[in-house]
Amino acid sequence: MTTPTTPATDDLARITRILRFTALGGFTALLGLFFFTVVLVLGDAVDGDGAAGGFTTAALWMFPVGAVAGLIALLTPRDLMPTGPRRALVIAQYVLAVAGVVLQLMD
């Protein structure tokens, strides 16, 4: 008598679900770090020379790009996107959120 095994698609569905929840958490990280970056921009405007540099522009562009990466990872059906690219998009979402703060600190 053999024991029934679960199909591999159940594991893929579970991993996809975990990645989607992680992408949802990435939106929280993006929002929080965006507000922190705005505080840094305003502080730089008051204490600095009052002009935003190129790093500020690049920092503020990191957040919409990160949001797009998160949306693609969150909304693309499992049949159209394998686990590897979805995982890369979720990682990119978090990296872009942190990069926005780092770029602003460099300005």
Side-chain angles (χ1 to χ4, degrees), residues 2-61:
T2 61
T3 59
T5 60
T6 58
T9 57
D10 288 343
D11 290 338
L12 290 176
R14 185 178 56 83
I15 291 170
T16 301
R17 194 173 324 119
I18 290 170
L19 286 172
R20 286 185 176 166
F21 282 124
T22 307
L24 280 174
F27 287 114
T28 305
L30 279 168
L31 185 64
L33 291 174
F34 175 72
F35 283 127
F36 182 62
T37 302
V38 169
V39 168
L40 290 174
V41 168
L42 293 175
D44 188 35
V46 171
D47 293 337
D49 59 358
F55 285 120
T56 298
T57 304
L60 293 177
W61 270 103

